[in-house]
Amino acid sequence: MATTPDGLTEIPEPPPTPQPPGEPGTPDTLALTPRRRTQALAVCIAAAFLTLLDVSIVTVALPSMQQHLHLTSADSTWSIAGYTLTFGLILVPSGRLGDEFGRRKLFLIGMVLFIITGVLCAVAPDATWLVAARLARGISAGLIAPQVVGLMHQMYPPRERGRVFGYYGATVALSTTIGPLLGGVILHSFGTADGWRWIFYLFIPLDVLAFFLGVRILPAGRRSERRSSLDLAGTLLLGLAVTAVMLPLLQSGSWANRSWWLLLAGIALLVVFVLRERSLPGRGRQPLVDLSLFRVRDYWVALLVAAALYGGFTGIFIVLSQFLQTGLHYTAMQASQCTVVFTIGSVVCGIISGRVVHRVGHRLVIGGTAATAVGLAATALVVGTSSGANMGLVLAVPLLVAGCGTGCVLAANQTLALHRVPRREGSTAAGVYQTGMKIGTTLGVALCSSLYFSELVASHHDFAAAAQIGLAGAAALAAVAFLIALPGFTLRVRDTTASVVAVEEVEPAR
């Protein structure tokens, strides 16, 4: 069994054994022709891009939406972070449903709902309608996301997943960072009055295309032979826990006046959830989450790194969009052009890191988180020392550093997280991982926007000072990711992954 210098195990694929065709994750999916598998990967990547784009592209349209739908600060927060909340709530149960009933089936259901909710967002007549549609849209995206990662995990053997997740990581970075640019182009083309509606309208044909390509190309599956019912009590406990953790972060107003008791309640519910999940196998029942995943150090360390890093680099776009448009009076197009260098760095490095992760291993994540933290800290520093006229040029170098660091982390971190996860648990493991990402994203949006607006009031509308404080919050979250990755991926501990690796090795290519 070959290993990299970091001990990243290259798990050999077992010889295929006859299985009923169509079983999710069984050899018939691995036996897809290279062309068909590439086409299926393209469909997965496209769907991931569309669902993740829906967070970042709306940020640049917020000023227009606030003006024409009369959004309050709470409405503005919920129109973005509410999408993230419901997205995060549905990830784990939808991942389990995909593992048991077929990932393709859940993917297609999610795409249909994503199309419908896109129309509902586009025609929203008021703030209440928009927020409700965004919440529903988050649910539909949460149905799709675990199936995308689960299908990639299912279709490719371990030694090829780094490259595949490199494309996926680049897609995550591209969708997060190019959203403001695309939003700026659309608002510039259709005007600020109703241009925000076209942010939803224009992507509906692409959603429809992704659905029909999914019908034709994605490998079919049938219900797993493990015919256990969904753990409804566990689903409810986890949903309440995630909601309780995220709600204080979504509330508007000062941090001191938020309902922090909900955070404590959420932690207590998580403890109850874990105790329940641990007891189910002894009673012959299938848990919602296989807690043996958390005996894999790479998995839980990567999950914490993802949560912190996503909070950091997502938060900067909220701050910069508000600062550049409201403080410096840039147009939406000009504001989005200032951050395009982050996109370039993250996409290029995301693709490269996916190809070299099996040779470089954990060092990519450690170095990438450090570069992201340094780049974001430098961005915060230069915002307060430069004039508005040359802001785009001044931000270019620190944002490029941060973008390259982020790109190095996204693909490598997810490859490390899922490398030793059995294929039968692919969507569920991806759902848990992405739930951590969504909680981190919500934390980043809440922290950075709260710091920005609080300083804006305290400084009597000193936009540069407010942007510095908000960006410093983003840099701090990236630094937390580095402080988790450095000991988490380097300290030598007893390997507790043997049982999980053994499952992968003897399991017939599920």
Side-chain angles (χ1 to χ4, degrees):
M1 183 178 294
T3 59
T4 69
D6 281 324
L8 184 61
T9 306
E10 290 280 3
I11 305 170
E13 286 296 312
T17 57
Q19 293 284 327
E23 173 75 17
T26 49
D28 61 310
T29 57
L30 283 174
L32 293 171
T33 64
R35 179 180 179 183
R36 176 75 179 275
R37 194 162 58 173
T38 300
Q39 291 172 338
L41 175 63
V43 173
C44 290
I45 292 293
F49 177 80
L50 292 168
T51 56
L52 295 169
L53 179 71
D54 214 64
V55 179
S56 60
I57 197 170
V58 174
T59 59
V60 76
L62 263 184
S64 176
M65 294 162 64
Q66 288 169 341
Q67 180 180 352
H68 295 94
L69 290 183
H70 308 291
L71 301 182
T72 64
S73 59
D75 294 331
S76 300
T77 300
W78 277 97
S79 65
I80 294 178
Y83 175 88
T84 304
L85 171 63
T86 52
F87 197 147
L89 282 177
I90 199 69
L91 283 169
V92 176
S94 70
R96 172 56 65 199
L97 288 171
D99 285 337
E100 292 204 20
F101 293 94
R103 292 155 189 154
R104 176 176 176 268
K105 183 183 298 183
L106 267 291
F107 175 94
L108 296 176
I109 292 172
M111 285 306 306
V112 170
L113 295 177
F114 197 70
I115 294 166
I116 294 171
T117 53
V119 175
L120 293 176
C121 288
V123 301
D126 53 43
T128 302
W129 180 300
L130 177 66
V131 170
R134 291 288 292 167
L135 292 172
R137 192 160 174 79
I139 293 173
S140 64
L143 287 173
I144 298 167
Q147 319 315 327
V148 166
V149 178
L151 283 164
M152 292 190 293
H153 191 261
Q154 165 187 328
M155 292 187 298
Y156 289 86
R159 66 181 61 87
E160 295 184 38
R161 288 183 199 147
R163 174 178 58 84
V164 173
F165 284 134
Y167 295 135
Y168 179 78
T171 301
V172 172
L174 180 63
S175 62
T176 303
T177 54
I178 205 172
L181 178 61
L182 290 177
V185 171
I186 293 171
L187 288 174
H188 178 75
S189 302
F190 292 91
T192 56
D194 283 326
W196 65 268
R197 298 185 187 276
W198 287 96
I199 285 177
F200 299 105
Y201 279 133
L202 290 178
F203 289 96
I204 290 173
L206 297 180
D207 298 336
V208 173
L209 179 61
F211 169 79
F212 282 109
L213 289 176
V215 172
R216 289 180 55 87
I217 295 173
L218 293 182
R222 65 177 181 85
R223 180 172 177 165
S224 169
E225 292 182 357
R226 299 177 301 159
R227 295 183 178 269
S228 56
S229 59
L230 182 66
D231 178 15
L232 295 179
T235 301
L236 178 62
L237 276 172
L238 184 61
L240 290 174
V242 173
T243 302
V245 168
M246 294 176 73
L247 274 180
L249 304 175
L250 295 173
Q251 290 176 334
S252 57
S254 68
W255 286 79
N257 295 328
R258 300 189 184 204
S259 303
W260 292 113
W261 63 270
L262 285 170
L263 181 60
L264 298 176
I267 294 172
L269 287 168
L270 281 175
V271 171
V272 175
F273 171 75
V274 170
L275 293 175
R276 173 183 169 78
E277 296 299 288
R278 289 182 63 183
S279 70
L280 289 181
R283 291 184 274 161
R285 296 185 58 188
Q286 177 70 27
L288 181 67
V289 177
D290 185 352
L291 297 180
S292 67
L293 291 171
F294 294 95
R295 293 203 296 268
V296 183
R297 183 170 58 144
D298 282 354
Y299 182 78
W300 64 261
V301 170
L303 189 153
L304 294 176
V305 168
L309 188 79
Y310 271 78
F313 86 85
T314 304
I316 68 171
F317 296 102
I318 297 290
V319 172
L320 288 178
S321 177
Q322 292 286 341
F323 168 61
L324 294 171
Q325 292 187 67
T326 308
L328 300 185
H329 306 292
Y330 279 32
T331 65
M333 182 70 170
Q334 291 170 329
S336 59
Q337 289 172 341
C338 289
T339 59
V340 70
V341 67
F342 186 103
T343 305
I344 296 171
S346 58
V347 169
V348 172
C349 288
I351 294 173
I352 294 173
S353 68
R355 292 180 178 274
V356 302
V357 62
H358 283 291
R359 295 197 298 272
V360 180
H362 305 108
R363 287 171 292 176
L364 269 176
V365 178
I366 296 170
T369 52
T372 304
V374 169
L376 294 184
T379 303
L381 180 65
V382 303
V383 158
T385 59
S386 304
S387 65
N390 64 347
M391 186 59 68
L393 292 175
V394 171
L395 291 176
V397 172
L399 283 180
L400 180 62
V401 172
C404 289
T406 299
C408 287
V409 176
L410 294 182
N413 196 58
Q414 183 147 319
T415 302
L416 290 168
L418 299 180
H419 186 75
R420 298 182 178 183
V421 173
R423 284 192 179 89
R424 68 165 184 269
E425 297 289 335
S427 291
T428 303
V432 174
Y433 181 87
Q434 291 174 327
T435 299
M437 287 166 40
K438 295 308 170 189
I439 292 176
T441 299
T442 304
L443 172 62
V445 170
L447 175 64
C448 297
S449 61
S450 178
L451 290 173
Y452 175 82
F453 288 113
S454 296
E455 180 62 21
L456 197 62
V457 173
S459 64
H460 304 289
H461 289 81
D462 184 340
F463 289 96
Q468 275 193 307
I469 295 296
L471 292 170
L477 289 173
V480 169
F482 169 73
L483 293 175
I484 294 170
L486 183 60
F489 287 135
T490 58
L491 291 180
R492 298 296 179 184
V493 297
R494 184 174 64 86
D495 190 1
T496 59
T497 64
S499 62
V500 179
V501 174
V503 171
E504 182 78 60
E505 289 178 337
V506 301
E507 183 183 77
R510 291 178 61 91

